[in-house]
Amino acid sequence: GDSVTQMEGPVTLSEEAFLTINCTYTATGYPSLFWYVQYPGEGLQLLLKATKADDKGSNKGFEATYRKETTSFHLEKGSVQVSDSAVYFCALRTGGYNKLIFGAGTRLAVHP
Amino acid sequence: SQTIHQWPATLVQPVGSPLSLECTVEGTSNPNLYWYRQAAGRGLQLLFYSVGIGQISSEVPQNLSASRPQDRQFILSSKKLLLSDSGFYLCAWDTVTEAFFGQGTRLTVV
């Protein structure tokens, strides 16, 4: 079945460091891909998305490119801040099954 | 604008007691609705999803059930809670391009 695999956390970085969180997927057809962020004690918020191959989603300095050839959607940010500390979820949505499937989440901790 | 309400925010229940968590959506019609659980230190697990009134798909065998009595109402229930039911429960609805989440209910079974 369809699935999403994320790198295990936690990821601990110093402020202004470069961030990469890996995400790969398995899906039939051509899914839409998403990154969601969960701040402590809250629900999830959409961070960015891409709906077709080679699309790049971006928001708040974060970027991810839909790579069909490697079935990946890695999240990157050039310079992280303490306020970026959160749990990040990669997700896919396939039209056939009409449901949203999430990866396990990756906790990011940024310290000053 | 679309809004999703989920309550209660926190809940402490004894083992063997019943459970009812409610989720309602405003500002949209015939949404896809979801219940997810996030256990401590673990990822987001899809429990149920619904594409319409009375249509419920269960993703994992468990002690919980879901119902959709109205178009914009989604209820998560249990007749007898287990310790393993503890976790953070999230209701969500989605469009083709984005999902919207409630604030979550932290359930502790004692």
Side-chain angles (χ1 to χ4, degrees):
Chain A
D2 298 341
S3 65
V4 176
T5 302
Q6 288 181 236
M7 63 186 291
E8 290 189 16
V11 174
T12 303
L13 295 173
S14 298
E15 205 164 24
E16 299 183 1
F18 184 85
L19 168 71
T20 299
I21 299 178
N22 290 339
C23 170
T24 57
Y25 67 90
T26 302
T28 55
Y30 303 95
S32 295
L33 302 174
F34 307 85
W35 277 101
Y36 282 81
V37 59
Q38 183 183 31
Y39 297 104
E42 299 184 9
L44 276 69
Q45 307 171 25
L46 179 65
L47 181 60
L48 53 85
K49 63 179 183 279
T51 57
K52 61 182 187 297
D54 300 325
D55 270 2
K56 177 185 283 188
S58 61
N59 186 26
K60 299 180 181 179
F62 291 89
E63 292 183 341
T65 301
Y66 189 143
R67 300 288 188 197
K68 182 170 178 284
E69 64 276 12
T70 56
T71 61
S72 65
F73 193 53
H74 305 321
L75 182 68
E76 297 181 337
K77 187 174 185 181
S79 176
V80 294
Q81 305 299 313
V82 172
S83 57
D84 293 326
S85 299
V87 181
Y88 292 82
F89 292 89
C90 186
L92 68 82
R93 189 177 191 280
T94 55
Y97 286 101
N98 206 34
K99 63 184 179 183
L100 199 56
I101 298 170
F102 285 86
T106 302
R107 183 175 299 279
L108 170 65
V110 181
H111 56 83
Chain B
S1 63
Q2 302 95 344
T3 306
I4 182 166
H5 300 283
Q6 185 181 343
W7 67 92
T10 60
L11 192 59
V12 179
Q13 291 285 100
V15 168
S17 64
L19 172 74
S20 181
L21 302 181
E22 188 163 344
C23 173
T24 59
V25 179
E26 297 178 359
T28 185
S29 298
N30 197 31
N32 293 337
L33 296 173
Y34 303 80
W35 278 110
Y36 291 90
R37 177 172 60 200
Q38 187 177 25
R42 301 179 65 179
L44 207 58
Q45 182 184 35
L46 177 61
L47 301 177
F48 300 96
Y49 77 102
S50 170
V51 298
I53 295 174
Q55 301 179 61
I56 309 294
S57 295
S58 175
E59 293 298 301
V60 294
Q62 58 199 309
N63 185 42
L64 302 169
S65 62
S67 62
R68 186 169 177 175
Q70 300 180 44
D71 181 44
R72 289 172 285 180
Q73 183 184 30
F74 204 25
I75 298 172
L76 183 69
S77 304
S78 173
K79 293 182 179 178
K80 290 185 178 181
L81 284 169
L82 306 172
L83 287 174
S84 58
D85 292 324
S86 294
F88 191 57
Y89 289 83
L90 287 162
C91 178
W93 73 276
D94 77 339
T95 67
V96 174
T97 57
E98 186 171 355
F100 300 89
F101 286 81
Q103 289 298 98
T105 296
R106 184 159 303 282
L107 171 66
T108 303
V109 182
V110 297

